[in-house]
Amino acid sequence: MTIDFSKYADGLVPAIIQDASTAKVLMLGFMNEEALLKTKELQKVTFYSRSKNRLWTKGEQSGNFLLLKSISVDCDNDTLLIKADPVGPVCHSGADTCFNEINRSIHFLSELENIIADRKNNPSDQSYTSSLFKKGINKVAQKVGEEAVELVIEAKDDNADLFKDEAADLLFHYLILLHAKGFVLQDVIGVLQKRHRMD
C-alpha cells in the first residue's frame, strides 16, 4: 500500500510510533512525503514539525533517536504505523513515552531477553549472565544440561515450588544458550508455528 498524502489539505499524515520490541505506543507525529523519504534514508524517524515549519529528526538535539525498524500503512492509506527502537526517553519531558507510560513489554520473556542481550553485549564483572557468556558456548550448553537433569529429578517428586524453581532455572539458561548461538526465542517460536501450520 502507498500512503496518500493528498487526503489532508496540509499534506501531512499522522505517524504513530510504536516500540518494535515492547509494542508500546511511544508518540504521534506528522509526516509529509519528504519526511517519510528522509526517515527511510537516515533509518531514523523524521517528522515534519508544524511548530518549526521544517523537517525534524527525532533526537537531533537530545540524541534520543528513534531507529527505524518498519513502516506500515493503514487500510485507508492515510496513516502510518512506524515501529522503531528508541534510544533513550521519547518525550521531551524525559518520560519513556509521550503518554507518560513506562515503556515495558507486557511479555516478561521479551523483557528478560533484552536483559540477557544487554549482559552479552555490555558485560559486567558483577553479572552471573555475563560470566556465563564469557566462559563460552560449551559451559552455557553444559549448564542447560545440568538444569534439565535437575528439572527431571524434581518432576518425580511432589514439591511444586521446587519443580517451578527448576523449570525457571532451565528456561533462563535456555534463553542464554539461544543468545549465545545468535538466536532469540521468537526464532524457535517461528519453527513451532510453521510445524503447527503443517499439522
Side-chain angles (χ1 to χ4, degrees):
M1 288 187 284
T2 305
I3 193 74
D4 185 359
F5 291 98
S6 67
K7 279 199 174 182
Y8 300 97
D10 58 6
L12 300 177
V13 298
I16 301 163
I17 312 301
Q18 182 182 38
D19 189 301
S21 299
T22 67
K24 183 71 75 175
V25 173
L26 301 173
M27 66 176 292
L28 172 71
F30 293 89
M31 289 186 173
N32 59 10
E33 191 168 4
E34 190 182 0
L36 181 59
L37 290 173
K38 198 72 172 175
T39 295
K40 292 176 179 178
E41 176 192 335
L42 297 178
Q43 293 294 294
K44 294 175 181 174
V45 177
T46 300
F47 300 102
Y48 183 84
S49 169
R50 295 171 297 175
S51 60
K52 297 175 178 147
N53 202 29
R54 66 170 176 84
L55 292 186
W56 167 64
T57 299
K58 174 75 177 79
E60 64 186 25
Q61 291 183 327
S62 66
N64 296 334
F65 295 105
L66 293 168
L67 306 180
L68 179 66
K69 288 299 176 183
S70 68
I71 301 173
S72 303
V73 180
D74 79 332
C75 58
D76 292 324
N77 299 331
D78 60 7
T79 303
L80 293 165
L81 174 63
I82 297 180
K83 295 185 180 179
D85 285 337
V87 179
V90 172
C91 186
H92 69 277
S93 69
D96 283 357
T97 79
C98 289
F99 303 98
N100 202 29
E101 294 184 310
I102 296 173
N103 186 13
R104 183 181 301 145
S105 173
I106 58 171
H107 304 291
F108 175 72
L109 285 180
S110 174
E111 193 174 326
L112 181 58
E113 279 198 294
N114 288 338
I115 294 170
I116 289 170
D118 182 64
R119 298 297 187 270
K120 178 184 178 186
N121 298 327
N122 303 294
S124 164
D125 292 338
Q126 286 75 43
S127 167
Y128 168 75
T129 306
S130 293
S131 72
L132 269 182
F133 282 122
K134 187 176 180 181
K135 291 174 183 174
I137 191 69
N138 289 344
K139 184 61 179 176
V140 175
Q142 177 188 339
K143 192 65 181 165
V144 171
E146 291 171 4
E147 296 299 342
V149 170
E150 290 174 14
L151 179 62
V152 169
I153 292 170
E154 286 304 330
K156 295 175 177 295
D157 294 331
D158 292 323
N159 189 320
D161 288 337
L162 286 177
F163 176 77
K164 288 187 291 183
D165 284 345
E166 293 301 341
D169 287 347
L170 176 59
L171 180 56
F172 177 69
H173 288 90
Y174 171 65
L175 292 175
I176 294 174
L177 180 61
L178 283 177
H179 280 264
K181 293 294 290 181
F183 299 108
V184 294
L185 189 57
Q186 189 57 48
D187 295 319
V188 179
I189 291 171
V191 173
L192 292 172
Q193 288 171 328
K194 185 177 178 183
R195 288 180 186 173
H196 178 69
R197 284 194 296 269
M198 295 169 56
D199 204 0

